[in-house]
Amino acid sequence: MTINFENSFKTLPKFLWEEVKPTPILNPKLIHITKLKNDLGINLSDEDLKLWLNGEKFLEGEQRIATRYAGHQFGVWAGQLGDGRAISMGEINTPNLGRQEIQTKGSGKTPFSRMGDGKAVIRSSVREYLASEAMAALSIPTTRVLALLTGDDKVYRETIEKSAIVARVFPSNLRFGHFEMCFHFKKTTELDALIHYAQSTFFPGMSMEEMLADIISKTAKLMAQWQGVGFCHGVMNSDNMSLLSLTLDYGPYGFLEDTDFNYICNHTDQQGRYAYGQQPSIGMWNLERLLICFMNHFPKEKLQELLNVYPQEFEKEYLKIARLKLGLELKQEQDYQLWANLLKVMDQLKLDYTYLFRQLSSYQKSNKESLQGIWDYYGNRQELIDWLKIYDERLNLESISDEERSLLMKTVNPKYVLKNYIAQEVIAEVEEGKDLKLNSWLNILYSPFEEHPDFHSYSGPTPSEHKHYEVSCSS
Ligand code: AMP
Ligand code: MG
């Protein structure tokens, strides 16, 4: 097998990385491979792929590394963190996807593991696996996955669990935290080398200022997309922020079920710093942490000026998404208010976020009965009926028919999202060594706008026994 493999991160000063030998997991089992294997042109047999990802087999010239980064966790400077359990294998240049780095998460201790064991458990690995692919199918920038391995090691968390490895794929692992690491430890030469590497590799043709403006704008857009689909990340620490504005490090994330601006998906986040409604402002706070690292290159006022664009960029994208979700083609002054009023009603009545928008996608103007699913489930709610009257007036300005609008809305309002209880069903099976549900759910999550009639019951409001499923940082 020949793969033209390189690891460009190794061109950076040694401060930023260390060579690492992966620790294979015990009795590895290849549970799943995505189609990225083909896209990346990896022509290994399943057995060789398993051995390679598990660190039992190496390609010629391959050298695996872990990188050093730092970060602000829950608003507090946390110092050095680094890849404590993720090992970068290197990058492949592909005709269709450009350069893509492969990294294994759960490959054992690295020099940056601190007190950790370098392992990952099946539970969190399956969650990362499913969510990565689900977000990609929702057209939200994200890291991707190549394969999932499970093993028989005993991993000590709240209970004893089994090990797993997720092979992640992304153009780059660069995080805000890599820059913070150099800046706060006064490694000026290393910081400049890192900036140059990022700029020339991922923002070619852009000046440093243009690169920052691009990062700010793309981060704002990502936040708008998260809000639009009801995704709550749960651990928006600056070390989990991607320089390429990808959704990165899936941990205790959650998709909104009952609409709630104060939804906290991470059980460990008692203050609600990373609650659903906080995400856009936290995105900006994290960008500020990144911009500080450029203080040797720009005056403070310039950095502030760049950051000041963030709220407008966010609002612009968010309003665009709002119009799409409401099926509005024309741009009217009152659209944002209409959207905000609906969210207020949804929050007040605790309506299922995904279900409401999917139902609304079948709404016929001035025909309350077309929302029968909602009334059946929630009863005749006057607040929503009042809102629909205003929506009717707004729809009267549009020229498309109910049918046309419905078709369009069903391409932006998914029928299925990865609710925690669904992930839990898949996890329970994978923990028993089975992959049936993993396969069928991946199939649905790859096409979440399709009907999938056999799974219809999963598209309704979350059954009460499955609500308030608690997920913590433990992984
Ligand atoms: P996270 O909260 O998962 O984003 O992790 C924060 C930091 O801790 C990252 O740098 C991880 O690499 C590291 N980390 C998390 N879990 C472990 C573990 N079990 N062993 C070693 N390092 C870990
Ligand atoms: Mg992380």
Side-chain angles (χ1 to χ4, degrees), residues 308-323:
N308 286 347
V309 178
Y310 177 91
Q312 286 120 268
E313 293 283 301
F314 171 79
E315 281 160 25
K316 200 166 73 186
E317 184 70 15
Y318 191 51
L319 181 56
K320 191 172 111 192
I321 293 169
R323 286 203 177 98

Side-chain angles (χ1 to χ4, degrees), residues 379-423:
N380 267 352
R381 307 305 298 250
Q382 195 54 46
E383 298 89 333
L384 189 57
I385 296 168
D386 290 344
W387 180 84
L388 286 170
K389 285 188 197 128
I390 321 250
Y391 187 45
D392 284 336
E393 284 170 27
R394 176 62 186 82
L395 291 180
N396 281 332
L397 303 177
E398 298 283 328
S399 51
I400 57 169
S401 67
D402 287 335
E403 289 71 30
E404 286 168 319
R405 190 178 61 252
S406 174
L407 283 176
L408 287 173
M409 286 172 75
K410 284 182 179 176
T411 64
V412 288
N413 293 317
K415 179 166 174 180
Y416 301 94
V417 293
L418 179 60
K419 293 181 171 179
N420 277 331
Y421 80 99
I422 296 173

Side-chain angles (χ1 to χ4, degrees), residues 54 67 70 112 122 137 161 194 196 215 220 245 317-318 332 348 358 366 381 417 419 464:
N54 198 30
T67 68
F112 314 115
I122 293 179
E161 300 185 51
L194 181 65
H196 175 72
I215 295 166
S245 314
E317 184 70 15
Y318 191 51
Q332 296 291 311
Q348 208 180 335
R358 188 67 180 189
S366 311
R381 307 305 298 250
V417 293
K419 293 181 171 179
S464 51

Side-chain angles (χ1 to χ4, degrees), residues 452-464:
H452 304 288
D454 292 350
F455 285 79
H456 183 73
S457 62
Y458 289 93
S459 67
T462 309
S464 51

Side-chain angles (χ1 to χ4, degrees), residues 69 73 81-85 112-114 116-119 157 235 239-240 249 475:
Y69 57 76
Q73 300 193 315
L81 301 164
D83 291 328
R85 54 172 171 173
F112 314 115
S113 294
R114 298 176 294 159
D117 57 6
K119 301 264 178 218
R157 299 294 182 257
V235 204
D239 50 297
N240 289 337
D249 275 8
S475 60

